[in-house]
Structure formats: C-alpha cells, structure tokens
Amino acid sequence: MKSIIFLLLRKAIYYTSGLCPRATKAVIGSNQDRFSDNAKYLYLHWQNTDFIRSIWISGDKELVSQLRGDGFEAYHRRSIRGIFHCLTAKYYFYTSYIGDISQYLAKGATKVNLWHGSPLKKIEFDIISGPLATTYQATDLKNKLFNSLKYHQAYIKPDIMFSPSPVMDVLFSSAFRLPTSQIHRSGNPRTDYYRRYPEKKQSITQLFNQQYNQVILYRPTWIDSPRDAKISTKRDIGRQAERGNDQKTEKSAEQSSEKNIKPNKRYIGGINWQSLSTQLQENNQLFLIRFNPSQAHLAKQLKNYANIIDISHWQDIYNIFHEIDLLITDESSLCIDFLLYQTPTIFYTSSDVRKDETSKTAASTLTKPSTSALLTQTETKTETENSHTKSDNYDYVDNLPLFGIGHSKTLDNFEDLLTKLRSDNSFYISAEESQEYKQLTQLFWPEQLCDAFDTIEKQIGKISNKTKVPQQECRANTTPP
C-alpha cells in the first residue's frame, strides 16, 4: 500500500511541476550520476561557448564539487539550488531518462534525450524478451497504467531526439514511441566533440607512462539479468532512483553477483587471463578492460595481470578512441562509434558461454506450456536459440557487413583469439574488408551538413526566441575524428 501511495505521489509532484514558469536555461545530467557520454560533451561545449546557461545536475556530491572546482555550474539534485533549477529550466538534456536530472520536476520542460548509443540489441519499448520486457510490455490497459506508475521514467516521452542516420530514425521512433518529426538528423556530441576540440584528445603513452606496439580495448556489452532488473526497479520506485550512484546499491549488487556465477562466467570466463597476459607482454601490447558500470566490480579479479588494465571506473573513453588499435566485443554498440575511426573489430563470446546461455534459454522455454510440444527436444532447442537471437537483436543486425551472424570476425574459441592478437593483420583493415567498413560507416554515419552542436542549437533556436544560431556559423561535420 505504501508503494502505491508513493507512486501516486510521485506522479502528482511530476504533473504539478508543470505549473512552474520556465526560463531559457538548460539542466544537464547523465546516467548513474556519472559525468559522461553525450550530455558531458554538450555541457563542456556550452561551458566553452556560453551559448546558453547550462547547469550540471547530479546526485554525486564529489562530482558536483569537482565540477564547481573547475569553474563550472553544477548542483546536487536535492540541494535547494538544484531543485530550483530543475523546476525552472526550460530544457532537460539527458542520456537515458529524466531521472538523470530529476524524475519529479521535469514536467513543462522541453525534454531532449541524447541517448547513449546506436542500438544493435532492442531497446525500450521494442524489448520483447528478458527481464526488462515486463517494464515495457503490457497486455491490457490496467497493466499499462500500472507500468506507467511503477516505471515512471521509462514512460515519459522525450520531446526531441537526435539520430545520426535513417536506420536510427526508425529504431528510435519505434523504441521511444515518437513520430519521426520529433527526431532530427545529427551526429553525437561525444564523437563530434573531438572534431571541434582535437587538442582535448589524450595520449595513452602519457596516461600510462609507457609506449605499446598496439592498444586493445575489450568492451563486452551489458546483458540484462533478473538481478539487474530488480535493482533497476528498486532505484525507480525509491529514493535511489534520484541518485543512481548509491554506494549501498553498488555493494548489494556486488554481493549478489558473487552468488550468481552467470555474470562472472560471461565477463571473466572464456578467457585464460594468464595466457593472455603472457602473450601481451611478449608482443608489448596493452589490453584495456571496459566493463559496464553494473559489472565493473568483476574486473577487480584481474588487477594483478601484467599489461591488462581495468578502465571501467573512467567516466568515459572517447578521449582515447584515436589510439585504440583493435576493439574486442561481443555485441556492444560501441563498435558503431569506432566506425568513425575505422578501427578493426573482433566479436568474441566463448563457446562455453554461448552453450550455457542457449541451454538455459531452452530449459526456460521447455518448462512452459507451448504449442510446440510436438516438436522433438532438438528441434525445440534450435527454435528457441533462433527466436532468442531474433528477439534480442533488431532484424537488420544479422545482415550487416562484418557485424552479421557467422561473419569471419566472430570468434568463440580463446586460442583463436590469441592467434588473432599475434597477427599484425588483425590491427589493420584489409583491402577486402575496407569496402564493408565503408558501407557500415555510410549506413550509421552518413555525412552531416552540421556537427551535433550546431544541429542541437538550431533546434533550440526554433523553440526559443532568445537563442538562435546564424546559418553561416554552421560547421560542416566532415573532418576526421
């Protein structure tokens, strides 16, 4: 009963906030109270240009203190000034949900979701399988109304989104239930920032005080699990939803994961870390690990291996993109951002992990009543595996050059991965593959007339009479990252 009262009260506060007058200023925030992603780079750009008063909002006191120490305007979301600016800002810019800033006080503001990737896996209201499906899928009006209360942030539509290509237009329109008229063609601030400010790039040699022959980034994608879904729900219906970076939540997540071997097996298993470390030393290669924040604690087990460094705690890694020689991932959409740098990519998921996930998916299906009961067990497993893949990924993914199912860039054996890392050819795009990389780049990153910052500012100019971008100031987005 208390939970229902809280959910109703939250909605009431949200709609009441719409009565507050809004001034021409922007509040900006990012997922899990980190200073990261598109929101970070838009904020830094506006701090440099003073285009509009921009204020960073976060639940992380240390981050707020750090930003203010750097001379930027930032406030804790539950401070008096933070609440005031959340109530009176005309624009909300965020990377995931309005709770990146304030889920209670956003009504009446123009909500701009900058999002945080170009999806390969289905997102938001396109999700039809896995633990998160219950958040977005409801069979009747009663469940839809309840979901909109329980998962408040997920059901608040943005007013504006930006998409780098026609492919993303369609996906964002479907996933966020938006008409295409509210989706505008643009690159991302996180990738366009270093076109504008190339001097902000950083050198890995200087960061780690050592020079390497090659730098390899290992970036497995985040896989939603029942544990993660429960944590997400608790954050959404309690005070942690306004904070996201709560230390108790992180500690409980770590303890929970120790009891649940699946995350450990997926992210740590499948790689012989000692053998990898030995080979890296022999070839003077650096292996950077970048786990999702939800699994970042797993990298603590790898801290004693030479030439393997965990950078999961970094706010983001776009400042070193230009120095990554090879990306290894399972299916992270980060590979799409790396297309701008023409960085070779290897897709790796160990066969043991694939078998484990397939068997668990099949077992889950077989325990439920099904119209396929007449199928043999083998047929059912095959059907389950195929449907699982299709339901998790968007349909277009299987047919992509390089990234598609069964391509030569896909590995499931650790020894094969080691062989690839020993070969200099793995760190270069061959003449045969160059055309496929170009096709992918054109698909996801067609040339834009303006960079992300000018495009965003033009949209603000159309809304606000006080803030406009002269046409002649538009900067073509054609220079290499």
Side-chain angles (χ1 to χ4, degrees):
M1 184 64 183
K2 290 182 179 180
S3 294
I4 294 296
I5 293 174
F6 169 77
L7 296 177
L8 291 171
L9 180 61
R10 176 173 62 182
K11 275 296 187 196
I13 295 173
Y14 173 76
Y15 280 103
T16 301
S17 71
L19 301 175
C20 192
R22 302 272 174 176
T24 304
K25 59 185 175 182
V27 286
I28 306 178
S30 191
N31 187 35
Q32 295 187 340
D33 287 329
R34 297 162 68 93
F35 187 56
S36 63
D37 219 284
N38 288 316
K40 166 186 174 178
Y41 292 106
L42 180 62
Y43 176 76
L44 289 176
H45 173 68
W46 281 343
Q47 294 297 310
N48 186 59
T49 64
D50 291 326
F51 169 80
I52 188 174
R53 183 182 181 186
S54 52
I55 305 162
W56 192 268
I57 301 294
S58 174
D60 186 331
K61 293 181 180 179
E62 291 183 6
L63 174 59
V64 169
S65 178
Q66 177 188 330
L67 290 175
R68 297 181 71 173
D70 291 337
F72 301 146
E73 188 172 11
Y75 302 105
H76 193 284
R77 66 169 55 90
R78 289 199 296 272
S79 68
I80 293 176
R81 289 187 176 182
I83 292 171
F84 171 77
H85 289 300
C86 288
L87 264 174
T88 58
K90 187 172 184 177
Y91 301 100
Y92 268 52
F93 287 89
Y94 51 95
T95 62
S96 293
Y97 308 100
I98 56 171
D100 294 350
I101 303 168
S102 172
Q103 64 165 314
Y104 296 101
L105 308 176
K107 182 66 175 175
T110 298
K111 294 173 282 294
V112 184
N113 192 339
L114 300 170
W115 201 234
H116 51 268
S118 300
L120 298 174
K121 293 193 306 178
K122 291 180 179 178
I123 60 172
E124 305 303 289
F125 286 89
D126 286 343
I127 297 173
I128 59 174
S129 65
L132 291 180
T134 55
T135 301
Y136 299 101
Q137 305 302 326
T139 56
D140 53 46
L141 180 60
K142 179 181 177 181
N143 285 330
K144 287 180 180 179
L145 291 174
F146 180 74
N147 277 1
S148 70
L149 285 174
K150 186 176 182 180
Y151 308 110
H152 168 66
Q153 300 184 72
Y155 281 74
I156 301 299
K157 292 184 182 181
D159 298 296
I160 297 174
M161 290 192 73
F162 296 94
S163 161
S165 69
V167 172
M168 292 302 110
D169 290 353
V170 175
L171 300 189
F172 286 159
S173 177
S174 173
F176 292 91
R177 304 175 301 165
L178 289 178
T180 54
S181 59
Q182 292 177 238
I183 301 172
H184 305 282
R185 186 62 42 76
S186 172
N188 287 328
R190 66 187 187 188
T191 50
D192 286 354
Y193 183 81
Y194 292 101
R195 299 175 188 262
R196 283 263 187 152
Y197 307 99
E199 71 279 3
K200 299 293 186 179
K201 296 177 181 179
Q202 290 188 279
S203 164
I204 286 179
T205 300
Q206 293 178 348
L207 286 171
F208 299 111
N209 199 30
Q210 185 172 341
Q211 188 168 358
Y212 297 93
N213 292 338
Q214 287 102 18
V215 179
I216 303 158
L217 174 65
Y218 176 52
R219 178 60 168 99
T221 191
W222 173 74
I223 301 296
D224 57 292
S225 66
R227 176 181 61 83
D228 293 325
K230 289 179 181 178
I231 292 174
S232 177
T233 299
K234 288 179 180 178
R235 286 177 178 172
D236 197 45
I237 65 174
R239 293 180 68 184
Q240 292 173 359
E242 283 298 287
R243 206 169 166 197
N245 211 20
D246 191 276
Q247 293 178 354
K248 292 181 180 180
T249 302
E250 289 182 352
K251 184 175 180 181
S252 65
E254 183 173 343
Q255 292 173 341
S256 178
S257 68
E258 290 174 356
K259 299 176 183 179
N260 183 352
I261 64 171
K262 184 175 180 181
N264 187 54
K265 184 173 183 179
R266 179 174 183 89
Y267 297 101
I268 304 298
I271 293 179
N272 184 324
W273 294 97
Q274 185 56 64
S275 295
L276 175 61
S277 176
T278 299
Q279 178 169 302
L280 293 169
Q281 293 175 74
E282 292 174 354
N283 293 281
N284 190 33
Q285 296 170 324
L286 176 63
F287 194 89
L288 300 175
I289 300 173
R290 176 74 173 173
F291 288 140
N292 182 278
S294 299
Q295 285 88 29
H297 57 277
L298 296 174
K300 293 177 181 179
Q301 305 173 46
L302 311 175
K303 62 182 179 181
N304 294 323
Y305 293 107
N307 287 45
I308 298 176
I309 299 178
D310 170 38
I311 58 170
S312 301
H313 60 284
W314 288 14
Q315 296 288 5
D316 62 46
I317 57 173
Y318 286 90
N319 58 329
I320 63 167
F321 260 42
H322 62 292
E323 296 214 343
I324 302 299
D325 297 299
L326 177 68
L327 171 67
I328 300 175
T329 183
D330 43 11
E331 52 186 13
S332 170
S333 66
L334 194 68
C335 62
I336 296 175
D337 285 3
F338 269 109
L339 287 171
L340 291 168
Y341 293 80
Q342 294 293 281
T343 302
T345 300
I346 292 176
F347 297 90
Y348 175 73
T349 303
S350 73
S351 56
D352 288 341
V353 172
R354 290 186 187 277
K355 289 176 183 177
D356 181 62
E357 292 181 348
T358 300
S359 63
K360 286 184 179 180
T361 303
S364 175
T365 301
L366 288 169
T367 57
K368 298 177 182 179
S370 173
T371 56
S372 61
L374 296 178
L375 295 174
T376 64
Q377 182 173 345
T378 301
E379 289 171 332
T380 304
K381 283 187 176 182
T382 301
E383 181 181 276
T384 302
E385 183 175 357
N386 291 337
S387 63
H388 177 71
T389 300
K390 291 179 179 179
S391 62
D392 281 353
N393 289 338
Y394 282 105
D395 292 340
Y396 80 98
V397 173
D398 290 353
N399 298 318
L400 288 175
L402 296 175
F403 296 176
I405 297 295
H407 192 274
S408 60
K409 289 289 185 180
T410 302
L411 302 177
D412 62 5
N413 181 279
F414 175 68
E415 293 301 325
D416 291 340
L417 179 62
L418 281 184
T419 300
K420 286 283 188 181
L421 299 186
R422 281 193 292 267
S423 172
D424 287 339
N425 292 335
S426 299
F427 297 89
Y428 300 95
I429 296 175
S430 67
E432 293 78 10
E433 293 173 338
S434 63
Q435 188 58 38
E436 293 178 299
Y437 273 97
K438 289 178 181 178
Q439 290 175 2
L440 282 169
T441 304
Q442 183 59 33
L443 180 68
F444 289 107
W445 303 106
E447 185 175 314
Q448 310 292 342
L449 294 177
C450 303
D451 70 5
F453 306 108
D454 282 336
T455 303
I456 291 170
E457 290 166 6
K458 282 189 173 185
Q459 290 304 317
I460 292 179
K462 291 179 180 179
I463 298 171
S464 173
N465 293 326
K466 297 180 180 180
T467 313
K468 296 182 179 180
V469 181
Q471 291 290 333
Q472 64 270 22
E473 292 186 8
C474 180
R475 180 176 300 203
N477 193 9
T478 57
T479 57

